[in-house]
Each structure stands twice: as C-alpha cells, then as structure tokens.
Amino acid sequence: MDKERIKAAVREILIAIGENPDRAELKETPRRVADMCEEIFSGLTENPESHLKIFNEKENDEMITVRDIPLYSVCEHHLVPFFGVAHIAYIPRDGKVIGLSKLARIVSCFARRPQLQERLTTQIADFLEKQINPQGVAVIIEAEHLCMTMRGARAAGCRTQTSALRGRMKSDARARSEALTLLASKQR
Ligand code: ZN
C-alpha cells in the first residue's frame, strides 16, 4: 500500500475542507490515516484461503450455525464504516467442516476492503460454497451504515439486513426455515 500517497491525499483533503494541516493537533493525522488504511483495507491483499482449516468429521451432516460474528467494513461509496454482525449457517457434505474461529477470519478478510454489504454477503457465501462444497449455506449480515446514520437520512440505529442462500438453503424449504429460525435476530 502506498502510504506516502495516502498521507499526501489526506493533507489535501484537510486543506480542501478549510483546515490547516500544519496545526499542531493535525500534524500527525495524515500518517495516522495512512497507518489505519493499511489495517482496515488489509483484505485487499490477503488470501482468504489462508484462513481455511477444513476438518473431516464423518457422520456430521447436521446444520452448523454461528451467530454474531463481529464485522467492520468500509462503504465504498462514501469511505465511512459500516459495522454489525454476520450470521452463518451451513450443512456440511461428507463431514467436511470448517474451524469455527476461521469463519470470523474469513468474514474479516472480505470486510477489510472498500465494500458493499450486498457483495460482502454473497462473497462469503460463494467462498464457503466453493471451498467446502456444503449441501447448503446461508449468510446473513445486519449492519449499520454511518453514511446513512451520520449524514443523509440520519436514520440513527437503522440497520440493513442482507442475505445469501445457496444449495439446500435455497431449494429445500425445511432447511431454509431451520436456518432462518436459528439465525433470526434475537428479540430486542
Ligand atoms: Zn455509503
């Protein structure tokens, strides 16, 4: 990542909004933003397959659900955060399951780049489908978008929900309803 270029660009933005980038409190801001970009956009260069740890658990073809995987991403339209949780359910095929902590790493790998919530949701579902070939997979993401809540509509607390269903989660009504019940929002 070209951090010098980010620093120069942030300095330009500060000037453009009418700030003085040489003011003592702002002096380190371009460097801080550049360091932060390296972290919050690290998914651009990370290979999600490096987080795959596949186990073989024969006899286990029951649905596996993981709720409330924390998620922080950056809206590619406004470059401000959207954040929330991802819920994943899948039905393994031939006992092929993935390490639970790895699911969180995979979510974070696809989240740490300029992103859209809809695309993030389908990328995670497609990745899991391709890598472990499950009988079905469902990914649901609930997130708050700062571009909606701190500007524009100012719909504070409003969360957007997206979902991607593959395989039996799409074609088999019972599997789908079981997954959606297990993944459904808790009563607030
Ligand atoms: Zn946005």
Side-chain angles (χ1 to χ4, degrees):
M1 199 169 290
D2 189 341
K3 286 163 82 173
E4 284 311 310
R5 207 160 176 174
I6 297 171
K7 276 157 72 177
V10 171
R11 191 181 156 84
E12 277 303 307
I13 290 176
L14 287 171
I15 296 169
I17 64 170
E19 262 291 359
N20 169 15
D22 296 316
R23 167 158 83 76
E25 298 85 348
L26 287 180
K27 269 213 114 103
E28 290 299 310
T29 298
R31 181 195 52 77
R32 288 192 197 100
V33 176
D35 289 345
M36 181 184 69
C37 284
E38 193 167 51
E39 195 176 332
I40 67 179
F41 297 130
S42 60
L44 285 170
T45 48
E46 209 175 304
N47 178 4
E49 290 177 32
S50 67
H51 300 307
L52 266 185
K53 189 156 187 186
I54 298 171
F55 299 95
N56 239 318
E57 286 194 13
K58 286 198 189 76
E59 317 294 324
N60 183 4
D61 278 350
E62 298 295 328
M63 189 177 296
I64 296 170
T65 59
V66 184
R67 278 187 49 94
D68 295 321
I69 300 167
L71 170 122
Y72 294 88
S73 189
V74 176
C75 155
E76 69 182 16
H77 291 156
H78 301 93
L79 294 185
V80 293
F82 67 92
F83 56 95
V85 288
H87 312 304
I88 297 175
Y90 68 98
I91 308 168
R93 188 190 304 276
D94 305 326
K96 237 175 152 187
V97 300
I98 189 166
L100 290 182
S101 64
K102 302 298 173 195
L103 284 177
R105 301 291 298 273
I106 289 163
V107 167
S108 132
C109 181
F110 284 109
R112 286 174 176 241
R113 56 184 78 175
Q115 220 6 320
L116 296 174
Q117 184 177 333
E118 297 82 347
R119 189 172 66 218
L120 175 60
T121 313
T122 59
Q123 277 176 341
I124 297 166
D126 291 341
F127 178 78
L128 291 173
E129 186 171 49
K130 181 164 168 248
Q131 300 294 334
I132 58 171
N133 187 29
Q135 298 181 54
V137 58
V139 178
I140 293 177
I141 291 179
E142 296 173 59
E144 176 173 342
H145 291 247
L146 286 187
C147 58
M148 277 174 70
T149 56
M150 73 182 278
R151 61 164 286 283
R154 293 213 172 89
C158 154
R159 286 156 82 89
T160 303
Q161 182 170 315
T162 47
S163 59
L165 306 172
R166 301 284 182 273
R168 280 183 58 197
M169 302 300 197
K170 197 168 193 163
S171 61
D172 174 343
R174 277 183 63 185
R176 180 173 61 237
S177 123
E178 184 185 349
L180 294 182
T181 305
L182 288 167
L183 296 182
S185 296
K186 284 176 238 162
Q187 296 297 325
R188 288 171 206 281

